[in-house]
Amino acid sequence: KLTTRNGANCAICSWNKFCSGCPIARSDDLVNLKDNQTVSIDWDPTLKDECFNDKKSKEVIIDHTVNRNRERQNRPISLKDCFIDFTDEEQLEEEVWRCSSCKKFRKATKRINLWKVPTVLVIHLKRFQQVHSGWIKSNRLVKFPTKDLDLTDFMDNKSLESSERPLYNLYSVLNHYGGLTSGHYTSYALNRDDSSWYCFDDRRCVPIEESKLQTSAAYMLFYVSSSVEKKDLPSIGVDKSCCIV
């Protein structure tokens, strides 16, 4: 029968039909599965015991590509790699674009370009991904620059009328520890008064070296245009008498 990926609901009927899965007609043709569809089998308990070795089914042969892909997923990437992926051309899976010439729906591609950049740039790293019915978090290390983040390569040509390059300097990092439903946040912030970085963890405030800002817990990055002078940055109000060193 044809069900959703969790095998609990029909992939064709609406939920109010209370259908557990429509039978698949016997045919030599291939079954074309769409997104969130899978083939499920209902076993008769007696037949299952006679024909199916439950102990054998739990034996898993791990292909060598599993560890290779796992290593690739855990390999550090740069923030530039994230921008390249974000602005890369994407092929739409279904025919959702109506051609103005033939008036028919066709497959199309889409691409995101930066036309205008702000004074303050906030980058949210996509750490969570839905897999089947749950969410998993990626703890992959993203290497990001603290000075001179250059977005020139990701700007649309029509927007590059100014000779000033879009350069940014980091002034704050938000870190997340835990999962989607619970966790803990800390932050790093640059103090404009002494040009030093500080770590804020609840009521705890400690100085931190710039070289230690990059961790796998980085969740949001806050940049400011290099055209903004340091004196114009907001003061974080660090009371050094309260800092724990």
Side-chain angles (χ1 to χ4, degrees), residues 191 194 198-207 236-245:
N191 186 10
D194 59 4
Y198 292 86
C199 172
F200 296 87
D201 186 354
D202 291 336
R203 298 181 63 181
R204 183 171 176 264
C205 172
V206 295
I236 61 176
V238 175
D239 185 357
K240 293 187 177 181
S241 62
C242 297
C243 287
I244 303 174
V245 180

Side-chain angles (χ1 to χ4, degrees), residues 36-55:
N36 199 35
Q37 289 186 351
T38 191
V39 175
S40 299
I41 301 175
D42 285 335
W43 287 88
D44 177 83
T46 304
L47 183 64
K48 177 177 178 292
D49 293 338
E50 293 178 356
C51 303
F52 189 73
N53 190 332
D54 188 62
K55 183 178 179 180

Side-chain angles (χ1 to χ4, degrees), residues 52-61:
F52 189 73
N53 190 332
D54 188 62
K55 183 178 179 180
K56 192 72 176 178
S57 68
K58 296 179 181 179
E59 297 179 3
V60 179
I61 300 176

Side-chain angles (χ1 to χ4, degrees), residues 118-129:
T119 302
V120 177
L121 177 67
V122 181
I123 300 175
H124 186 182
L125 301 178
K126 185 180 178 181
R127 291 287 187 188
F128 293 96
Q129 180 181 7

Side-chain angles (χ1 to χ4, degrees), residues 172-190:
S172 184
V173 180
L174 179 66
N175 303 304
H176 176 265
Y177 305 89
L180 182 65
T181 57
S182 63
H184 180 67
Y185 290 93
T186 66
S187 64
Y188 304 143
L190 178 66

Side-chain angles (χ1 to χ4, degrees), residues 156-182:
D156 187 87
N157 290 332
K158 297 179 181 179
S159 64
L160 296 178
E161 299 176 355
S162 174
S163 59
E164 184 178 354
R165 297 169 64 188
L167 298 177
Y168 287 87
N169 296 324
L170 185 73
Y171 76 90
S172 184
V173 180
L174 179 66
N175 303 304
H176 176 265
Y177 305 89
L180 182 65
T181 57
S182 63

